[in-house]
Structure formats: structure tokens, C-alpha cells
Amino acid sequence: MLRLENKNVLVTGASRGIGKAIAELFAEEGANVIVTDINDESGDKVAAGIGGTSCYLHLDVGREDDWIAASEFVKNKYGGLDVLVNNAGIAGILETQGPHDPENLDINSWHKVHETNLDGVALGCKYGIRLMKNSLSGSIVNISSRSGIVGIPFAAAYASSKAAVRNHTKSVALYCAEKKYHIRCNSIHPGAIYTPLWDVMLGEGEQRDNAVKAISSEIPLGAMGEPKDVAYAALYLASDESKYVTGIELNVDGGILAGSAASPPNT
Ligand code: NAD
């Protein structure tokens, strides 16, 4: 028995990085995966690579009309939804105009980051609940960040949006429980995962190698994570193995959030 046998799953932002790893792993575990993104060319390739019952659908998570169209598509093609992974997100550094620090932030950029990272998740949960409320084992997995738990001085909008995702996850979890819907909702908090999201921050060639080394040296487990590390956590939360788990936050961060700076030395 595969862990997601015959479950209908929609993953947002699945044309690369963590979303792609989730889509591929879930398909290996028997899910019918709806790969969604705004990058249609790459998304098509991911769905084609998975094959079988999977498909690609254009879905800009910040647009309610896209969610309405996606809901119709899912109902017509798959009959319903069992799992939604709200993965799409932007750091904002590349996609919007800076700066992103609290003193100088550009308010339009602030809104754009929240539109994708927070409105996208809120809309996903709204339409996910409507699609899943007849499922006997629905699961919504929201990809937040370690930045949803601690502050990031030069990516303040990102951190704020991810903190809101963390909290909204718990509201969704409790709402669904009160309504007696069989829908659980949990958040995952990745640390530093090596994906294209980091491209603009890491640079190229030797500069990139040095930057990765510097970041790795600050991670208790000594390395940046791989997309699959997050995908396995999402697999647990998506599957019925976690049927008694709702409203939690699962850190996948190599131990970053386990400690704090300025801890007493070993004397
Ligand atoms: P990525 O940039 O490699 O991939 C993000 C994907 O989202 C891309 O395919 C992009 O086209 C898509 N996307 C962007 N805007 C969208 C929109 N409006 N609608 C639909 N799709 C959209 O990023 P990643 O590293 O794979 O990150 C995935 C998620 O994990 C994000 O929410 C990110 O914030 C979160 N996260 C990543 C890290 C990390 O270190 N990589 C750490 C913490 C949290």
C-alpha cells in the first residue's frame, strides 16, 4: 500500500524547488498530482515527467479567479480533493523593488510579497476547505518558513508573511475541527533549503561556493537542506499516518531553531 494511494493532491508553486520535489514524491506514493504554478513551461515539464494521472494547471495563488477556475477543474477532472500543499512563495528580493528592511521598505513590494505568500495561502485554504469538506481524510499543508518564527531584518515582508501563514494555519485547523470537517491543517518551517529561491542571494561560481559554506557553517547539522527533506515532512502531514495531527508547526531546518545566539560557552 502506497502512502498516498489514490489521493487527489494539488501542489502550488510546483514547477521547481520544494514544490516540484513534493509533487514528484507524492506521485511516487500513489497520488494523482495536480502540479500548479505561474511558470507554465516548467510546470508542464514537471507534470509530463511524473506522467500517469498527473497534470499541469496554471494557478497564480494570489488571484481569487484562478482559485475558482482551479476548483472547477479539480471537481470536473478528479471529482474532489484530498490534499492541498500551499507551497508557492517568493522572497521578494528578485520579484519586487527593495529595500526590504523595516525602516526603508517599499510598501508596494511589501503588499506584493504578502499577496503571494499570505493571500495565496488564505485563498488556498478557502477553496481547499470547500473542495475537501466531503473528503474523509483531508489535509492542508502550508509551507511557511523558519522566518515565520524569527525576524529577518532585510527581508521583513517575507518574515511577516510567513509568520501570518503560521498563525492562519492554526485558525484553519481549529475552524475545520469545530465544523467537524475531516480536514487537518499544519505548517512546515523549512530553514535554508538549496533551491533556485536562493539564486539571487548566493551569486555564481566561487562566490556561490563561499556563500553556501558560510550559511552551512551556521547550521547545526552543517549543511543546507535538500528539497526532498521538506517533501518527506509534507508526505507525513499529507498522509493518514498523521490523522491525529492538526495545527502543528514542523521545523525542517537542520537544527537552526533549536538554539539561540550568545549561548554560554562550554567552559
Ligand atoms: P522557488 O523559488 O525555487 O520556487 C517557488 C515556485 O513558486 C516557483 O516555481 C514559482 O514560479 C512559483 N510561484 C511564485 N509566485 C507564484 C504565484 N503567485 N503563484 C503560483 N506560483 C508561484 O522556491 P522554493 O525554495 O522551492 O520555496 C518553496 C516554498 O518554500 C516557498 O513558500 C518558500 O517561501 C518556502 N521556503 C523556502 C526555503 C528555502 O530555503 N528554499 C526556506 C523556507 C521556506
Side-chain angles (χ1 to χ4, degrees):
M1 181 74 179
L2 296 169
R3 293 169 75 185
L4 296 177
E5 187 94 50
N6 288 329
K7 284 191 191 282
N8 299 331
V9 176
L10 189 150
V11 186
T12 68
S15 78
R16 69 181 200 191
I18 293 169
K20 176 173 180 274
I22 291 173
E24 291 173 347
L25 180 64
F26 282 22
E28 279 170 32
E29 289 295 340
N32 309 311
V33 181
I34 303 145
V35 173
T36 71
D37 207 288
I38 48 174
N39 186 335
D40 298 336
E41 205 183 324
S42 308
D44 262 330
K45 278 192 196 139
V46 172
I50 293 172
T53 52
S54 292
C55 68
Y56 173 74
L57 180 71
H58 180 93
L59 170 58
D60 182 336
V61 293
R63 295 187 55 126
E64 188 152 17
D65 51 349
D66 273 15
W67 277 106
I68 293 169
S71 301
E72 284 310 305
F73 175 86
V74 169
K75 272 188 259 171
N76 293 336
K77 189 169 164 80
Y78 293 94
L81 195 66
D82 303 296
V83 176
L84 168 66
V85 183
N86 284 314
N87 164 77
I90 55 171
I93 313 291
L94 184 68
E95 302 84 353
T96 64
Q97 211 181 323
H100 284 276
D101 67 85
E103 185 181 4
N104 301 299
L105 61 80
D106 176 287
I107 196 66
N108 293 324
S109 302
W110 172 273
H111 288 315
K112 176 67 192 162
V113 171
H114 283 81
E115 179 188 291
T116 304
N117 295 0
L118 175 57
D119 300 1
V121 170
L123 288 169
C125 291
K126 173 177 176 177
Y127 288 95
I129 291 169
R130 291 172 180 208
L131 281 168
M132 272 187 238
K133 59 187 183 186
N134 296 324
S135 165
L136 291 178
S137 58
S139 172
I140 299 175
V141 180
N142 292 332
I143 307 298
S144 174
S145 171
R146 52 90 183 245
S147 317
I149 295 172
V150 297
I152 305 286
F154 296 99
Y158 181 74
S160 160
S161 68
K162 292 296 185 178
V165 168
R166 172 185 182 232
N167 189 276
H168 190 61
T169 298
K170 297 177 200 307
S171 296
V172 171
L174 295 177
Y175 173 83
C176 291
E178 278 188 24
K179 287 282 190 179
K180 306 257 183 288
Y181 297 156
H182 298 283
I183 305 172
R184 299 174 294 102
C185 185
N186 296 289
S187 58
I188 295 181
H189 299 259
I193 311 296
Y194 193 73
T195 72
L197 181 111
W198 282 86
D199 281 351
V200 67
M201 297 174 269
L202 295 179
E204 296 293 334
E206 200 180 329
Q207 186 196 351
R208 169 173 288 243
D209 295 344
N210 291 337
V212 171
K213 266 190 215 143
I215 291 166
S216 302
S217 71
E218 293 178 345
I219 299 172
L221 288 185
M224 293 182 78
E226 299 171 29
K228 252 201 162 169
D229 294 324
V230 182
Y232 278 115
L235 175 60
Y236 166 66
L237 293 174
S239 79
D240 296 341
E241 293 156 17
S242 58
K243 68 180 173 50
Y244 196 56
V245 177
T246 197
I248 70 152
E249 44 201 78
L250 179 50
N251 299 336
V252 181
D253 68 347
I256 293 173
L257 291 168
S260 66
S263 58
N266 179 9
T267 49

